[in-house]
Amino acid sequence: MLSKLFSELKRLPRYAILLAALTALGMTAGLYRLYAGLGATTNMSKVFPWGVWISFDLTTVALSGGAFTLAALVYVFHMHDLHAATRPTVLFGLLGYSSVLVILFFDLGRWDRFWHFIVYPNINSALFEVSWCIAIYSIILIYEFSPVIVERFGNNRLLEWIKKLTIPMVIAGITLSSMHQSSLGTLFIVMSPRLHPLWHSMLLPVFFLLSSIPAGISLIIIGSIVSDMLFGHSLSQRVLEKLGWLMPWFLGLYLALKLGELLVTEELGLLFSSGKYSLLFWLELVVGVIVPMILFSIKSVRWNRWGTLTAAMLVAAGIVLNRFDATWFAILPRQGVTYSPHWLELALLVGVASGVLLVFTILSTYFPVFVETMPTRKPQEAAVEAGRAERAPALSGD
Amino acid sequence: MSRNHTYGFLIDASRCIDCRACLVACSVENDVPMEHTRIWMKGTGVMGKFPDLQRYTAPYHCMHCLDPSCVSACTVGALQQNEDGIVTYDDKRCIGCRYCMYACPFEIPNFEWDQRLALIVKCDLCVNRLAEGGQPACAATCPTQAILFGKREEMLALAHARIEDAPHRYVNHVYGEFENGGTSTFYISPVSFEQMGMPITDETRSPAHFNRLVTHGTPAVAATVAVAMSGAYLAIKRQSADNAAAEQASDGRPDDHE
Ligand code: SF4
Ligand code: SF4
Ligand code: SF4
């Protein structure tokens, strides 16, 4: 019995041990934070009451936008050849949101009251809306991922039943995502005295929603190529090309709105006059938007694996920088006080991120996460996967 | 907002002698340890050249804004504006998310950084003392009447009257009259408020107003997204059903949805 378990565990890749160790360390840091309070374990202050944890949360939510974008493309716009990407993407989204919830828990001064948002609504509060949408959307993501688990245990009746709800659940998921992706931008509207005017805008909710779409797509592309390296499974270049083709449209619209807003509010001058802030803004737009927009417009780049990966990484980096700017770098200091994270803040982040990767590894080792993707090596294993998919054709079809 | 804004403060920096009796009074009256204070000192620091030295100070606490950003932001409604316009804090509700600290343009909400279960600390205008017919502890204690408390309109009128009576003694600015869309705490000072170290906000309308514009629009946007997505799904489904035969022939992949 025990030896069977052991041999099962041996199927996990080696680096799982490293991930487990980092997770344990991070959780220790988290427990210490709960014990010692926020003052001793973080560098947050009255002037910077939010730190790198919030930056991480906003970044992760944006990068997890792939789940709702893909659901819209596949189920609403019937782009069925993207279907192969849904399982890994939904799983990434689910784990992304879970990590956000875990970090938020450690971030709250009264973590024992995290459930208060359910019973004490403030409908004016963007953070209230974000909490609700993320909570419900996490349930939808669990639902969207559930076929993978159910399939593993071969319960076809349950599977049929789950499939029947797909479309309404997907549309609810898209709606909730649009709401919380945009509301995360709304969060900063009330902070106008603190957020640099290059970032502060009444269009913040539109910017955040719009940018979460290319952010999500970029993560699908990166995830696919990384899983090729780790698990020997990937989306076909034909599918990646299709995703890449979408990018310039979203990035272009985002760029036009960003600059258009500065034009209308007569803040274009800030692009040159704000020193460090101008530089950050340019970096975001040139490296994260304009360059990948050009790259993705070139057909030969889209058909090239490394070209696609490079462009996708640039988009992701631009979004990461944008969310870090809005939550940290572009928050104006007061009384000369600035912020940089305490090592325990970083330790918790590393721990939670490792935990998420560990769960991803475990699930994709033991459950049919990659059934529809192309096996790129290890032919024997690929044959096993293919056989499994054949035995249950109805399951992989949708 | 349809509320009465009954009370107000007038704080006169030319009268404050930096004795900090108000800080002690607030701490004792409200049982708040000094390190989690609800009230601070703002000041110019030492100005000028010896022997012509000058230094101005003023106590600094919640402005009790007319349209408070913190109330608009608070996730769980722990911060509320009562029927007298006083911005109160409910320590039974607060989850310690600290959004109010960023939302407040005056950096008023304070946090118990050293506590295991940490809460916000904020001036509640001594509502309990008011209910008993008293004055806020800080105003009642001030030996030089640098902090006056009374009806909001009277405090505002007095602020302007003092500036008019002695224009050489004050800068012509009643801080708090328009800041953040108007507040219930007014400052007058012999030097600019920038020099006093007070936050300078250009907004004459509270950011809370713009926040509500967006958050109240969200349900409509959500409904639009849901309807648009359902519509797109049905339209494309019908179209692809029409083309199903042709697609099947060319694609070889059966469209097996539902
Ligand atoms: S000063 Fe700050 S804490 Fe006080 S009511 Fe205004 S926004 Fe709220
Ligand atoms: S810290 Fe407390 S009072 Fe402040 S916004 Fe969060 S829940 Fe509200
Ligand atoms: S009004 Fe009361 S709670 Fe507010 S600063 Fe004065 S003494 Fe403290």
Side-chain angles (χ1 to χ4, degrees):
Chain A
M1 177 70 189
L2 212 66
S3 66
K4 192 169 166 235
L5 183 76
F6 201 68
S7 71
E8 276 291 306
L9 278 179
K10 270 200 168 150
R11 280 173 58 199
L12 283 174
R14 274 266 169 76
Y15 62 79
I17 297 177
L18 178 68
L19 289 179
L22 287 174
T23 311
L25 279 178
M27 284 301 115
T28 315
L31 289 176
Y32 179 63
R33 168 264 168 272
L34 295 186
Y35 170 79
L38 284 161
T41 54
T42 74
N43 282 347
M44 291 185 246
S45 62
K46 190 149 171 291
V47 177
F48 280 90
W50 287 350
V52 67
W53 289 342
I54 294 285
S55 310
F56 170 88
D57 294 337
L58 266 80
T59 308
T60 308
V61 170
L63 295 177
S64 304
F68 89 92
T69 308
L70 198 64
L73 293 175
V74 171
Y75 292 103
V76 177
F77 296 102
H78 295 242
M79 295 167 78
H80 295 302
D81 43 358
L82 295 180
H83 193 276
T86 48
R87 285 185 174 184
T89 307
V90 165
L91 180 56
F92 180 84
L94 184 55
L95 295 176
Y97 279 92
S98 313
S99 64
V100 167
L101 293 175
V102 171
I103 296 278
L104 273 178
F105 175 81
F106 286 106
D107 210 339
L108 292 181
R110 290 300 303 250
W111 40 271
D112 55 320
R113 293 176 176 171
F114 71 92
W115 49 274
H116 270 199
F117 76 93
I118 301 171
V119 287
Y120 297 119
N122 173 13
I123 54 151
N124 292 333
S125 170
L127 200 51
F128 163 74
E129 197 191 308
V130 167
S131 316
W132 264 94
C133 288
I134 290 188
I136 304 176
Y137 184 57
S138 301
I139 297 173
I140 292 194
L141 282 173
I142 292 174
Y143 159 84
E144 286 179 1
F145 187 68
S146 64
V148 180
I149 308 290
V150 176
E151 200 171 287
R152 172 77 163 76
F153 299 108
N155 190 337
N156 285 338
R157 287 271 297 284
L158 186 56
L159 208 60
E160 281 302 311
W161 194 81
I162 293 176
K163 269 181 62 180
K164 280 218 174 72
L165 279 174
T166 302
I167 295 302
M169 285 299 249
V170 158
I171 291 180
I174 298 168
T175 309
L176 287 165
S177 291
S178 316
M179 286 170 79
H180 72 256
Q181 293 285 2
S182 59
S183 292
L184 280 174
T186 310
L187 219 55
F188 301 92
I189 284 188
V190 80
M191 283 166 55
S192 47
R194 289 303 300 281
L195 184 60
H196 191 278
L198 276 175
W199 284 268
H200 188 273
S201 156
M202 282 306 281
L203 288 184
L204 266 169
V206 181
F207 294 160
F208 268 54
L209 174 59
L210 196 55
S211 59
S212 73
I213 295 171
I217 296 179
S218 75
L219 246 272
I220 298 174
I221 295 174
I222 297 170
S224 168
I225 296 176
V226 170
S227 71
D228 179 14
M229 299 191 274
L230 293 182
F231 307 105
H233 273 278
S234 168
L235 297 173
S236 70
Q237 190 62 33
R238 197 172 60 87
V239 172
L240 294 186
E241 193 271 342
K242 214 168 190 177
L243 287 172
W245 179 84
L246 288 166
M247 286 289 220
W249 300 98
F250 291 116
L251 292 175
L253 184 59
Y254 178 61
L255 182 69
L257 281 179
K258 275 272 224 192
L259 295 178
E261 192 265 344
L262 290 180
L263 184 72
V264 170
T265 54
E266 296 173 6
E267 288 171 342
L268 270 181
L270 293 175
L271 283 175
F272 306 99
S273 60
S274 304
K276 158 189 148 192
Y277 298 106
S278 305
L279 198 71
L280 280 171
F281 195 82
W282 279 108
L283 204 61
E284 243 183 52
L285 286 194
V286 174
V287 176
V289 182
I290 298 175
V291 172
M293 205 169 106
I294 296 170
L295 286 177
F296 275 123
S297 319
I298 303 169
K299 200 168 177 189
S300 59
V301 173
R302 290 203 304 272
W303 281 101
N304 179 296
R305 213 165 177 69
W306 299 112
T308 314
L309 180 63
T310 310
M313 299 259 248
L314 289 178
V315 173
I319 296 300
V320 172
L321 182 59
N322 175 259
R323 300 307 196 256
F324 271 73
D325 281 340
T327 49
W328 172 5
F329 304 149
I331 301 277
L332 303 170
R334 286 252 172 109
Q335 299 118 34
V337 179
T338 55
Y339 164 82
S340 58
H342 192 280
W343 68 270
L344 279 168
E345 287 176 73
L346 297 176
L348 179 65
L349 275 192
V350 170
V352 171
S354 308
V356 160
L357 291 178
L358 183 63
V359 176
F360 192 95
T361 308
I362 293 175
L363 286 175
S364 46
T365 308
Y366 298 108
F367 293 90
V369 173
F370 286 109
V371 273
E372 293 170 78
T373 48
M374 276 199 351
T376 51
R377 53 196 160 93
K378 298 184 193 151
Q380 329 85 303
E381 274 177 36
V384 175
E385 293 283 346
R388 194 183 286 156
E390 236 156 60
R391 254 181 286 125
L395 318 176
S396 55
D398 204 337
Chain B
M1 305 222 99
S2 56
R3 303 223 185 249
N4 297 318
H5 296 286
T6 319
Y7 302 111
F9 285 102
L10 172 57
I11 298 177
D12 188 335
S14 71
R15 297 193 179 200
C16 176
I17 54 168
D18 198 22
C19 70
R20 305 193 178 213
C22 50
L23 273 64
V24 178
C26 178
S27 168
V28 173
E29 269 305 304
N30 298 302
D31 197 15
V32 182
M34 282 293 231
E35 49 299 0
H36 307 145
T37 184
R38 301 176 175 188
I39 174 169
W40 303 261
M41 297 305 290
K42 286 276 180 192
T44 57
V46 181
M47 303 188 302
K49 277 219 167 72
F50 185 82
D52 252 343
L53 296 179
Q54 267 178 327
R55 177 166 170 261
Y56 294 104
T57 54
Y60 187 70
H61 56 57
C62 174
M63 306 283 289
H64 295 276
C65 304
L66 302 187
D67 186 0
S69 308
C70 60
V71 170
S72 197
C74 178
T75 318
V76 293
L79 293 160
Q80 299 271 355
Q81 194 173 36
N82 78 6
E83 58 287 352
D84 286 324
I86 298 171
V87 178
T88 58
Y89 169 68
D90 182 350
D91 64 1
K92 300 278 177 306
R93 274 197 192 191
C94 174
I95 54 174
C97 68
R98 308 186 295 287
Y99 187 23
C100 53
M101 299 176 74
Y102 256 144
C104 172
F106 303 104
E107 289 163 62
I108 293 301
N110 203 357
F111 190 68
E112 299 172 336
W113 294 104
D114 57 346
Q115 296 293 302
R116 191 163 300 159
L117 292 173
L119 288 166
I120 290 291
V121 184
K122 193 191 86 67
C123 157
D124 61 1
L125 221 148
C126 289
V127 265
N128 296 332
R129 289 171 60 96
L130 289 186
E132 290 158 13
Q135 288 238 332
C138 52
T141 308
C142 182
T144 61
Q145 294 190 310
I147 314 175
L148 288 181
F149 177 82
K151 293 254 178 295
R152 183 179 182 275
E153 291 94 277
E154 287 169 17
M155 292 297 120
L156 184 56
L158 185 59
H160 282 290
R162 281 197 190 167
I163 293 177
E164 245 161 67
D165 288 350
H168 53 283
R169 273 189 64 187
Y170 299 103
V171 292
N172 190 13
H173 180 179
V174 177
Y175 186 93
E177 185 175 9
F178 298 112
E179 272 77 7
N180 204 35
T183 77
S184 306
T185 306
F186 308 113
Y187 286 84
I188 51 177
S189 157
V191 292
S192 82
F193 293 99
E194 210 162 354
Q195 280 172 290
M196 287 292 292
M198 317 268 282
I200 301 302
T201 63
D202 322 328
E203 355 261 318
T204 48
R205 191 153 201 183
S206 171
H209 165 78
F210 299 102
N211 175 66
R212 280 193 305 273
L213 276 187
V214 180
T215 50
H216 288 189
T218 313
V221 175
T224 315
V225 171
V227 170
M229 285 295 150
S230 312
Y233 168 74
L234 292 173
I236 298 172
K237 190 183 169 188
R238 173 171 302 171
Q239 204 187 17
S240 61
D242 290 347
N243 302 338
E247 247 178 47
Q248 223 163 329
S250 65
D251 207 33
R253 183 173 180 273
D255 196 23
D256 58 355
H257 286 269
E258 284 84 39

